[in-house]
Amino acid sequence: MTLTDDELVAKSVGGDAESFNQLILRWERPIYALAYRVIGREEDARDVCQETFLRAFRALPGFKGQAKFSSWLYRIALNLCRDWIRRQRRAPVMQMPEGVDPGELAAERGPVESIEELVSRRELSAVVEEAMALLPEEQRTAIILKEYHGMTFQEIADMQGCPLSTVKTRLYQGLTVLRRHLEKNGQMTPQLVKRK
Amino acid sequence: MTQTFTCGDHGALVSYLYDECDPNERRAISAHVAVCGGCAEEIASLGATRELLGTWSPPDAQLGFRVVSDTPRSVSDTPRSVSNVLRPSRWWQRPMPAWAQAAAAAAIFATGVTLGALRGATATAGAPASNAQGSNVTLSAMPTAAVTPGDLSALEQRLRTELSQMRNTNGPATASAGDAQIFERVRTMIQDSEQRQQRELALRTAEIVRDFDAQRQGDLTRIERAMGQMDGTTGVEVAQQRQMLNYLMRVSQRGQ
């Protein structure tokens, strides 16, 4: 029998670590995905994910079920992502090692075909990722919560601490910027638009 | 109640796009979109954008965090040390590497040798005492476990012989007092011996437990350190691969 989040939380508060491990198993992928999409770095997203569950475990006695457990987890993760972004503003996000020519490096990595395969497989995803990185943090987070985590406008508003109308505006503006970027990169084909 | 839609109401368009509006609002927007080319195009292109967003998936990551707790404790206990450390899941269920198997075998062997040495020490510590001090003090010097029923019978026999000799010498009145004294002495000696034995047993048990625990802690530390090194190595490799991927993608994009 599958226990609900609330039941697992109650058992965890009672000292059953295995129940909390089941909650981790259930939610670590969504939390990791959220962290990765917000901050864009795999290792850091993993750290955020781990820290989210650590904080949740420590704060579990104070969790009174006023919100869904998942919403509570998302909120912790988003706060950690915000902290991370704040820290990163003081340091460059991507650093190119000095004295290394990417072309030479690519040539050393094997035949051209495999590189093309690799790039074509990831191209679309990379363009979307690149476009998302252009958005301000609030718009990006709103779109991520809506598109990839299926939250309602109201849940996003609660999560972001803003009015519901602001969430809609963020979504609209964010989608508009994304559309322009994708059009510029040739990803928005007329067929794709007509299908809608 | 009928609802109207104002052309250019982006909030309403977003509600319509995500299907999060009430039926009346939806009807009103649908009616408007059917006749307004601008809004219809807006909805279509935003929908297409959403479709492309669906292609973005995060890379696979090694997760499997777990709360590791060696003793069952309440979550409300504070402060926590290692019990709330999240670690990659079920690492202890994975096939054990050769070095870990060797370490475990060495730990078991060392424990066995330690126990054997302790037992040997016990035997050799008892034997010389009895040999060196002669038959009169054997009972007090040796642990109770070394006293056999035969020894006790011999002692009793000797005591009876001595008592009968004393009776013959001193008469019945003094013999009765002497019996009581001797029995009292024997009882005291046996009690002392038992107490010593219990103390010794407790001491040795504590030593064994301490040795075993120290060995276990040492093994765990070595295993943790080795796993940490492996994690570090893997992390560096992943970072290098990711960096390489970034280079390749940049190069590819330049070519386009």
Side-chain angles (χ1 to χ4, degrees), chain A residues 4-70:
Chain A
T4 64
D5 283 357
D6 289 342
E7 288 167 336
L8 289 172
V9 166
K11 289 180 80 173
S12 303
V13 172
D16 183 4
E18 200 44 48
S19 292
F20 194 77
N21 285 332
Q22 283 188 47
L23 286 168
I24 295 176
L25 195 63
R26 193 174 288 180
W27 288 105
E28 66 182 356
R29 289 277 156 199
I31 293 293
Y32 165 75
L34 172 71
Y36 177 79
R37 287 187 172 114
V38 173
I39 67 183
R41 282 195 183 190
E42 195 178 336
E43 281 300 306
D44 293 322
R46 198 178 173 280
D47 290 345
V48 164
C49 182
Q50 173 161 340
E51 184 64 21
T52 299
F53 286 105
L54 270 177
R55 291 198 180 185
F57 187 73
R58 289 191 188 118
L60 208 53
F63 176 67
K64 304 296 179 199
Q66 60 273 39
K68 280 198 298 184
F69 176 73
S70 56

Side-chain angles (χ1 to χ4, degrees), chain B residues 50-112:
Chain B
R50 287 191 63 201
E51 198 167 306
L52 287 176
L53 287 178
T55 62
W56 182 27
S57 56
D60 282 339
Q62 185 80 25
L63 299 176
F65 301 120
R66 284 178 67 82
V67 173
V68 178
S69 175
D70 48 4
T71 53
R73 295 171 61 181
S74 167
V75 214
S76 54
D77 288 355
T78 52
R80 297 192 161 275
S81 52
V82 292
S83 65
N84 57 353
V85 173
L86 290 163
R87 296 174 181 173
S89 81
R90 299 179 185 86
W91 59 271
W92 44 271
Q93 287 180 347
R94 291 177 195 156
M96 198 182 273
W99 61 265
Q101 288 179 17
I108 292 165
F109 179 72
T111 308

Side-chain angles (χ1 to χ4, degrees), chain A residues 12-15 17-18 20-21 24 28-29 32-33 36-37 42-43 46 49-50 53-54 57-58 60-61 94-97 102-103 105-106 109 115 118-119 122-126 128-130 132 143 146-148 151-153 168 171-172 175-176 178-179 182 187-188 192-193 195-196, chain B residues 10-15 17-18 20 25 41-69 72-76 80 83-88 90 235 238 242-254 256:
Chain A
S12 303
V13 172
E18 200 44 48
F20 194 77
N21 285 332
I24 295 176
E28 66 182 356
R29 289 277 156 199
Y32 165 75
Y36 177 79
R37 287 187 172 114
E42 195 178 336
E43 281 300 306
R46 198 178 173 280
C49 182
Q50 173 161 340
F53 286 105
L54 270 177
F57 187 73
R58 289 191 188 118
L60 208 53
M94 185 78 84
Q95 284 182 322
M96 184 71 78
L105 211 57
R109 288 294 291 177
I115 294 173
L118 183 69
V119 171
R122 293 234 174 191
E123 189 179 50
L124 192 55
S125 179
V128 173
E129 186 168 354
E130 190 183 297
M132 287 291 284
I143 288 178
K146 187 70 195 162
E147 290 290 339
Y148 303 104
M151 289 192 184
T152 63
F153 295 141
K168 290 182 184 177
L171 286 169
Y172 179 79
L175 285 176
T176 306
L178 290 175
R179 181 184 62 191
L182 294 170
Q187 302 298 333
M188 292 281 281
L192 187 67
V193 176
R195 260 196 300 170
K196 305 308 293 179
Chain B
H10 298 143
L13 275 184
V14 167
S15 299
L17 188 67
Y18 286 104
E20 242 188 87
E25 189 182 11
E41 195 185 327
E42 185 84 338
I43 290 282
S45 61
L46 291 179
T49 306
R50 287 191 63 201
E51 198 167 306
L52 287 176
L53 287 178
T55 62
W56 182 27
S57 56
D60 282 339
Q62 185 80 25
L63 299 176
F65 301 120
R66 284 178 67 82
V67 173
V68 178
S69 175
R73 295 171 61 181
S74 167
V75 214
S76 54
R80 297 192 161 275
S83 65
N84 57 353
V85 173
L86 290 163
R87 296 174 181 173
R90 299 179 185 86
V238 167
R242 199 177 54 219
Q243 208 170 38
M244 181 63 66
L245 190 61
N246 284 338
Y247 296 153
L248 297 181
M249 290 173 68
R250 281 174 178 223
V251 169
S252 166
Q253 283 164 3
R254 275 186 195 173
Q256 288 172 356

Side-chain angles (χ1 to χ4, degrees), chain B residues 40 50 84 101-102 109 116 140 163 166 177 186 202 240:
Chain B
R50 287 191 63 201
N84 57 353
Q101 288 179 17
F109 179 72
S140 60
L163 282 171
M166 285 171 72
V186 170
Q240 286 172 345

Side-chain angles (χ1 to χ4, degrees), chain A residues 3 21 46 54 56 75 79 86 97 100 119 149 155-156 176 186:
Chain A
L3 296 179
N21 285 332
R46 198 178 173 280
L54 270 177
R75 193 187 296 269
N79 285 336
R86 215 170 290 135
V100 176
V119 171
H149 299 276
E155 284 171 331
I156 298 171
T176 306

